[in-house]
Amino acid sequence: MEKIYTRTKTIQEDKVSGFCPGCMHSTVIKLVGEALEELNLVDKAVCVQGIGCCGLHMDYIAYDDITAAHGRACAVATGIKRTNPGSLVFTYQGDGDFASIGLAESVSAANRGENFTVIFVNNGIYGMTGGQLSPTTLVGMKATTAPKGRDPKEHGYPMHMCEILNELKAPYYLERTSCNNPANVMKTKNAIKKAFQYQMEGKGFSMVEVITSCPTNWGLDPLKALDFIEEKMLPEYPLGCFRDRSKEEG
Amino acid sequence: MSRVFMKGTEAVAEAAVRAGCRFFAGYPITPQNEVPEYLSRRLPEVGGVFVQGESEVASVNMVYGAAAAGTRSMTSSSSPGIALKSEGVSYCASARIPMVYCNFARGGPGVGSIQPAQQDYLQATKASGNGGFRMPVLAPATVQEAVDMTYRAFDWADRDRTPVLILADGVIGTMMEPVVLPEMKSDEEVAAIKESKKKWACIGHPLDYAHRSWIEPGQWSTQKMQKCNEDAAALYRSWEKEAEAEEYQTEDAEIILTAYGISGRIAKSAVNLLRAEGIKAGLIRPKTVYPFPNYAYDKLDYGKVKAILDVEMSIPALFVEDVDMAVKGRCPIETCLCSGGNIMSRDAVIAAAKKIMEG
Amino acid sequence: METNLCVAGFGGQGVMSLGKFLADATCNSTDKNVTFFPSYGAEQRGGTANCYVVISDDDIGAPLGDVMDDLIVMNGPSLAKFLPTLKKGGRLFLNTSIVPDKIDRDDVTVVKAPVTEMAYELGNAKVLNVIMLGVYIGFTEVIDPAIVWETIEHKLASKPKLLPLNKQAFDKGLELGRSQR
């Protein structure tokens, strides 16, 4: 029989993920690993990870990894990539890390057109700390620090990072995907590969925002969480490519 | 080597370049703006990288990244900016990443004043960030010393994989003095330094879990975290023998002036004038304020020393706490202080010393 | 032997350059210790800019002393502010073009130099600081004038057109300084 699937070697063989059931971090990490393998970039890979659940994978991956302070991943990645332009540098951050505590670092790195990739995993809630309000929490969605749900009068509206960064001139590639169904999983992987390729070609800042779920803090079982993505998250965060300068270059 | 007339900030920046520093990220703050300005011109000339960070916090984290990837890296600031850098410094200390940073201290607390002060002593030597780490803190009293200490700091940082702080002040930063610059490390030497860190540098490695680079400023396992802290504590203890002080006219002294940095050189000139008037004064000036040179105070003949006069540009006195621990009650300690950006007056130091000797 | 000098005036009068030329020349031509320290911050907003130069055979303590041996005053407000810091028997170099030369101390030597007018006569108001530096060197002979001129020449290397004018300014100052010895 032909073997048509093997686990990516970029995840340590003897490790079992400690993510909650239905969490999509494991999916995204797998996709990142597959993209690195398929592009033959594992030897060059440096993951700069944020703080929170996004940082849980440092125990599982088998390539180079550095933990950045809360929100500073884009600053750390700037330091690494500027001094080692041959490395493939990407940050791996959640919405609290990337869009709240690290907003200045994130927007500034994008605005400088730093030649690295951001994998922005957006599930609209703080995971590890226990379900607090994030800048991307949906209106009406309950959080442990917004027990009555997000109220625009008090909390404002969800932040759209692809759209915000799309206002800047420098970013080269911005795409929003999801992992809520097999087709979207494949699109996510392709987007990650595209971002990595652009980086190795020296094109500049790239970001893949992945809309994911947090069944535990959303208070939903994993399957219902997939429905929630489809019905609530995606209308707020429409999928698609916001910027691909290679198309403009023809 | 012939001497050149240089501003403290620019001399420190040039010394860093000569020591092989090839990455600097910083943010404008008075009185140290010439450091980023100088390096924005200078680093590209030697194949280095300068980044003006969007904030102090971003800058120090850029340095954390560049240093974790094997490049000799530096940042600098002044007091309020140094406070903001504490996050990245703590990460470097925890993950054992070598880096050098410099504080051209000004008045405080808060935004304080933009003029020189020594109000950051406890922050520099006791708690430069969360988590109870230590690091070498070097306190220059002249532009020449600032240059020499900066050059040495990179070696110390690399040897022990630790942050090193140059605790200067606005006078050392803005004054000009003749300096003899250290030798410029060749491109080959700089490359060799980077190569020597390749094993642990976060730059990408062949797929092999045992040999991957894993920069960990923390641990999930409490046992591992304790072990890291035990190792770090052993390292800190090993620094005791590297404590250094200038001991001047101490053998027969009846009054010892003690001060670091800019106050140290002012106190030294006061010692000379007191001696000229027949008062047996001496000076202990720590050059490393961490590790603290307790030995210099142990060597004093407390049968002769009537008192120690702590001279510092800080109110309340801060440096005096380390002096107190070193003196261990063997003689009284008095203070001569100024603050707010005022520079220590030699006449005030002399008057304070005379008052003690007469009283 | 230690000399403490304070140079004070308006921002834009080249006060800092004057101090730097002198200190730099001392560094280049002697093995003495020398410091230059600019005063910055709140004081500058009050209309005065000032700097301190200390030249010494021994280690220098503070780069600004409590008491000045020499004082160069380029404008009125600086006279009021810094005259009290001048030691008894100290030397005051006064820009008499814009500062009245009647001072309320008789225990100091006053060297009068109408440098603003002299600069206008040379056709460039900006060279008043170089004239004053010449006056100071001519009067005190603290270092060889040739070395000071070399330093100025070196600093102005990127603007060679300005050299003849500055040379003229420096020489005029020297002459005036020497004449009052």
Side-chain angles (χ1 to χ4, degrees):
Chain A
M1 268 206 349
E2 192 195 351
K3 195 173 186 181
I4 59 161
Y5 180 81
T6 49
R7 181 165 131 155
T8 167
K9 292 190 184 69
T10 60
I11 294 174
Q12 295 164 46
E13 274 175 25
D14 57 340
K15 289 284 166 66
V16 178
S17 140
F19 293 113
C20 302
C23 175
M24 290 175 182
H25 273 305
S26 44
T27 314
V28 180
I29 291 160
K30 184 191 77 168
L31 298 177
V32 167
E34 288 175 356
L36 292 173
E37 281 191 284
E38 287 167 27
L39 295 169
N40 204 18
L41 288 171
V42 181
D43 294 3
K44 291 181 162 63
V46 172
C47 173
V48 182
Q49 55 171 15
I51 302 274
C53 290
C54 62
L56 277 172
H57 75 303
M58 72 176 183
D59 269 344
Y60 318 135
I61 59 172
Y63 45 87
D64 283 13
D65 173 87
I66 177 170
T67 301
H70 304 74
R72 314 294 171 234
C74 285
V76 175
T78 297
I80 298 173
K81 184 70 183 186
R82 289 278 194 115
T83 51
N84 296 278
S87 298
L88 183 276
V89 180
F90 65 96
T91 72
Y92 187 88
Q93 304 175 260
D95 39 288
D97 197 79
F98 183 76
S100 186
I101 196 168
L103 189 62
E105 285 76 10
S106 305
V107 173
S108 301
N111 191 44
R112 288 192 303 267
E114 295 291 344
N115 186 32
F116 62 76
T117 303
V118 172
I119 309 292
F120 169 38
V121 182
N122 180 6
N123 60 9
I125 201 100
Y126 282 76
M128 186 178 277
T129 47
Q132 293 83 4
L133 184 84
S134 121
T136 59
T137 301
L138 301 181
V139 171
M141 193 167 158
K142 284 184 179 164
T144 51
T145 47
K148 292 178 185 165
R150 182 176 202 134
D151 175 0
K153 277 191 214 142
E154 188 182 345
H155 309 113
Y157 293 89
M159 277 174 85
H160 300 82
M161 293 310 294
C162 271
E163 287 84 341
I164 288 172
L165 298 190
N166 199 27
E167 291 298 311
L168 305 174
K169 263 192 174 174
Y172 190 82
Y173 174 61
L174 303 167
E175 177 144 8
R176 182 183 289 132
T177 66
S178 184
C179 281
N180 64 325
N181 60 42
N184 280 342
V185 168
M186 292 317 294
K187 279 184 189 164
T188 299
K189 181 170 161 184
N190 287 336
I192 292 170
K193 281 176 84 169
K194 206 184 258 186
F196 286 174
Q197 269 167 328
Y198 287 150
Q199 181 186 152
M200 293 319 283
E201 289 162 11
K203 300 293 193 189
F205 187 85
S206 54
M207 177 173 86
V208 180
E209 175 179 352
V210 190
I211 301 298
T212 63
S213 62
C214 180
T216 302
N217 287 301
W218 286 1
L220 298 172
D221 71 41
L223 287 177
K224 288 216 171 94
L226 293 181
D227 295 340
F228 188 87
I229 291 181
E230 191 69 41
E231 288 158 20
K232 305 284 186 185
M233 293 289 278
L234 298 189
E236 181 70 35
Y237 297 108
L239 304 183
C241 181
F242 290 79
R243 168 86 57 89
D244 187 344
R245 290 265 193 240
S246 76
K247 302 238 160 84
E248 297 162 35
E249 286 163 4
Chain B
M1 281 288 289
S2 62
R3 59 183 200 168
V4 287
F5 198 59
M6 282 186 94
K7 197 167 194 161
T9 39
E10 298 192 340
V12 162
E14 179 60 28
V17 170
R18 287 171 181 243
C21 174
R22 290 296 178 270
F23 183 84
F24 179 95
Y27 186 81
I29 182 170
T30 305
Q32 63 85 55
N33 295 313
E34 300 86 350
V35 179
E37 285 169 2
Y38 185 89
L39 290 172
S40 71
R41 301 191 297 271
R42 186 72 173 102
L43 277 173
E45 289 175 0
V46 294
V49 177
F50 166 86
V51 181
Q52 179 169 330
E54 58 271 26
S55 67
E56 299 280 7
V57 178
S59 300
V60 73
N61 282 290
M62 289 174 189
V63 167
Y64 168 52
T71 299
R72 282 195 162 180
S73 304
M74 180 181 177
T75 185
S76 76
S77 191
S78 182
S79 307
I82 291 291
L84 290 166
K85 288 195 196 293
S86 64
E87 176 190 84
V89 174
S90 179
Y91 273 66
C92 288
S94 186
R96 300 289 300 275
I97 299 302
M99 61 88 98
V100 174
Y101 73 120
C102 190
N103 182 0
F104 293 96
R106 62 190 231 184
V111 71
S113 55
I114 60 170
Q115 289 85 1
Q118 297 184 303
Q119 301 272 152
D120 295 345
Y121 184 80
L122 293 183
Q123 182 204 42
T125 58
K126 315 286 181 205
S128 300
N130 68 296
F133 63 90
R134 300 292 204 173
M135 65 184 161
V137 182
L138 314 177
T142 63
V143 174
Q144 182 69 57
E145 227 173 42
V147 161
D148 296 341
M149 285 176 173
T150 303
Y151 199 76
R152 175 185 173 213
F154 282 95
D155 288 335
W156 194 335
D158 275 356
R159 188 195 70 191
D160 292 336
R161 292 186 60 179
T162 177
V164 177
L165 170 62
I166 310 293
L167 179 59
D169 62 80
V171 183
I172 300 295
T174 54
M175 74 189 284
M176 296 177 82
E177 244 183 329
V179 282
V180 177
L181 289 166
E183 203 184 321
M184 178 82 182
K185 287 205 191 301
S186 67
D187 290 348
E188 291 73 26
E189 285 172 293
V190 174
I193 290 168
K194 189 163 179 175
E195 186 68 25
S196 72
K197 302 179 190 177
K198 219 171 179 176
K199 235 179 164 175
W200 58 262
C202 204
I203 50 173
H205 284 86
L207 193 57
D208 171 1
Y209 177 60
H211 298 108
R212 75 161 176 156
S213 163
W214 197 5
I215 307 293
E216 300 169 288
Q219 302 291 338
W220 293 115
S221 148
T222 55
Q223 281 80 12
K224 269 197 197 169
M225 195 69 235
Q226 176 162 331
K227 178 72 169 58
C228 287
N229 287 342
E230 284 166 357
D231 291 347
L235 175 66
Y236 305 154
R237 278 194 298 278
S238 77
W239 290 339
E240 275 167 33
K241 59 184 184 299
E242 305 200 45
E244 239 184 272
E246 177 184 6
E247 297 155 276
Y248 181 67
Q249 308 257 29
T250 52
E251 291 85 3
D252 63 339
E254 291 170 5
I255 179 164
I256 293 289
L257 277 54
T258 190
Y260 73 96
I262 181 66
S263 294
R265 67 188 281 167
I266 295 168
K268 188 177 180 181
S269 66
V271 166
N272 288 333
L273 290 174
L274 287 163
R275 286 262 168 187
E277 292 186 43
I279 295 171
K280 286 181 179 169
L283 171 80
I284 296 176
R285 177 177 69 85
K287 294 183 187 178
T288 58
V289 284
Y290 191 89
F292 195 78
N294 293 306
Y295 73 88
Y297 300 85
D298 286 339
K299 274 161 67 183
L300 294 176
D301 180 353
Y302 286 97
K304 283 184 192 147
V305 176
K306 197 175 165 190
I308 287 180
L309 178 61
D310 164 71
V311 180
E312 51 180 313
M313 281 159 47
S314 175
I315 296 174
L318 307 174
F319 169 69
V320 74
E321 293 187 13
D322 274 342
V323 174
D324 191 28
M325 278 198 283
V327 173
K328 299 187 189 83
R330 285 173 282 188
C331 77
I333 300 169
E334 303 289 338
T335 57
C336 176
L337 311 175
C338 69
S339 178
N342 293 308
I343 293 165
M344 182 57 65
S345 146
R346 180 171 66 189
D347 288 356
V349 177
I350 291 169
K354 280 185 180 168
K355 198 178 155 204
I356 292 169
M357 294 309 282
E358 285 156 11
Chain C
M1 174 66 190
E2 180 174 298
T3 307
N4 276 270
L5 163 70
C6 172
V7 189
F10 287 126
Q13 285 184 314
V15 162
M16 299 295 174
S17 303
L18 195 171
K20 259 192 246 182
F21 286 148
L22 174 64
D24 205 352
T26 307
C27 172
N28 295 339
S29 65
T30 69
D31 52 12
K32 286 174 191 288
N33 290 304
V34 55
T35 59
F36 166 85
F37 183 60
S39 176
Y40 57 95
E43 284 175 342
Q44 290 185 2
R45 293 198 285 271
T48 63
N50 63 289
C51 67
Y52 301 88
V53 177
V54 183
I55 300 171
S56 178
D57 296 315
D58 301 313
D59 286 349
I60 295 170
L64 74 168
D66 296 289
V67 179
M68 294 300 137
D69 301 294
D70 295 333
L71 176 62
I72 297 176
V73 164
M74 303 291 266
N75 70 345
S78 297
L79 182 66
K81 186 166 180 186
F82 293 102
L83 187 57
T85 67
L86 187 61
K87 75 173 183 189
K88 206 173 168 186
R91 300 176 289 196
L92 171 66
F93 299 81
L94 206 55
N95 175 10
T96 48
S97 296
I98 57 169
V99 187
D101 59 8
K102 278 224 173 291
I103 63 161
D104 55 5
R105 276 182 72 171
D106 55 10
D107 59 348
V108 296
T109 306
V110 182
V111 178
K112 296 172 189 171
V115 290
T116 302
E117 284 160 278
M118 289 168 77
Y120 275 118
E121 278 164 26
L122 288 172
N124 188 331
K126 282 187 174 172
V127 293
L128 84 167
N129 63 336
V130 175
I131 303 174
M132 188 57 104
L133 180 57
V135 172
Y136 182 73
I137 300 292
F139 188 86
T140 62
E141 291 181 338
V142 61
I143 44 172
D144 183 351
I147 306 277
V148 179
W149 173 247
E150 269 175 38
T151 304
I152 298 173
E153 234 179 353
H154 181 72
K155 292 283 173 198
L156 295 177
S158 60
K159 300 166 189 163
K161 275 187 190 163
L162 294 175
L163 281 174
L165 172 68
N166 278 276
K167 178 74 175 132
Q168 227 184 330
F170 186 64
D171 288 344
K172 285 250 179 208
L174 273 180
E175 202 180 303
L176 180 62
R178 282 177 183 143
S179 73
Q180 297 189 49
R181 283 188 65 83

